[in-house]
Amino acid sequence: MERIRLADDLTFSRLIHGCWRLADWGYSREQLLSLIEFCLERGITTFDHADIYGDYTCESRFGEALALKPSLRGQIEIVTKCGIKLPSKYGMKLYDTSKTHIIASVEQSLAHFRTDYIDVLLIHRPDPFMNPEEVAEAFVRLKQDGKVRYFGVSNFKRSQWEMLQSYLPFPLVTNQIEVSAYRLENLEDGTVDLCLEKRIPPMVWSPLARGAIFSADDDRAVRLRGTLEQVRSEVGAETIDEVLYAWLLVHPARMMPIVGSGKRERIERAVRALSLSLSREQWFAILQSSMGHDVP
């Protein structure tokens, strides 16, 4: 599988496996280990987490599976996120990007994963109460201590990215953003443009729009399904899932879609998309179908 370079000594697999719903899959440690190995056999080596996933349980479940075969740690890249506090643990939902919380969250993640380093740590959401000096201090300390190799953000817009980057002595390596043929906000508001400008490959969450393209009955979803089916037939894909992934993969921003499923057949569909090549005309047909009109 193609590798995407984020830094001189860091590459991600072009497809990333997402663990947001891991707690819902009902897998035993052995079954989860088998799924991790299934991904590795297909070239998917990068795994996306967050401290809050599964109400603070997904990281530890993943770590328990890895503990069954510790040698796999050196074959994978672990991405995790911090900065959100959930009501279940803190009584209300809020953001916390204080130095104390970031460092404590990383220490907890390290214990959950049973590892001594995180490959990439992301700030999960823009924090309106962020003190960027504290974030920078936390990042520098974690890097100096060897606990986090690289840092990035998630769901940041241009001004938020540039503000935080201005306080850091090293570059942020990615922005994890939502992009799909159904959700165009980050394509339209300049967020993807920022990634191109900074040469930062974005991680892309919900590339299938959380299933809305398959089940929603609004005009956009109905139009899209028709166009995606047409393109599927033209390129010889088995499912429109593959076309949706291919639409992202062909974009020059070097997007890295996150496949957030525990079902092997859905992971296989994403892998098959790597062999598809959409024409410019097909790419714009999907875009314009989502927009409901021709490009300006």
Side-chain angles (χ1 to χ4, degrees), residues 113-127:
F113 290 125
R114 307 186 187 194
T115 187
D116 56 3
Y117 69 96
I118 301 298
D119 291 283
V120 178
L121 176 71
L122 310 179
I123 297 297
H124 204 155
R125 289 274 177 181
D127 176 6

Side-chain angles (χ1 to χ4, degrees), residues 125-257:
R125 289 274 177 181
D127 176 6
F129 197 63
M130 176 185 288
N131 180 340
E133 291 183 348
E134 284 202 33
V135 177
E137 289 173 5
F139 282 9
V140 168
R141 176 173 162 184
L142 291 166
K143 189 173 184 66
Q144 289 176 341
D145 291 347
K147 294 178 179 179
V148 178
R149 297 177 63 204
Y150 291 97
F151 301 85
V153 293
S154 181
N155 304 297
F156 273 46
K157 300 302 184 183
R158 174 179 287 273
S159 63
Q160 296 156 342
W161 170 285
E162 293 183 336
M163 178 274 293
L164 180 56
Q165 181 63 80
S166 72
Y167 284 82
L168 295 170
F170 41 71
L172 298 165
V173 299
T174 192
N175 189 6
Q176 186 175 132
I177 56 177
E178 182 179 15
V179 186
S180 69
Y182 189 75
R183 305 284 187 189
L184 302 176
E185 175 186 330
N186 286 306
L187 275 170
E188 295 173 333
D189 69 5
T191 303
V192 172
D193 294 340
L194 174 68
C195 294
L196 283 162
E197 175 188 330
K198 304 299 183 183
R199 279 71 170 173
I200 298 297
M203 301 171 67
V204 171
W205 61 272
S206 288
L208 306 183
R210 286 165 277 187
I213 293 176
F214 309 107
S215 58
D217 58 3
D218 59 279
D219 290 344
R220 170 175 283 186
V222 172
R223 287 194 311 268
L224 263 176
R225 282 196 291 271
T227 303
L228 289 165
E229 182 59 35
Q230 177 62 39
V231 174
R232 182 206 64 78
S233 176
E234 292 170 359
V235 300
E238 295 183 25
T239 66
I240 64 172
D241 303 39
E242 298 165 47
V243 179
L244 287 163
Y245 283 114
W247 189 78
L248 296 170
L249 291 165
V250 74
H251 194 279
R254 297 180 298 155
M255 297 180 186
M256 298 175 288

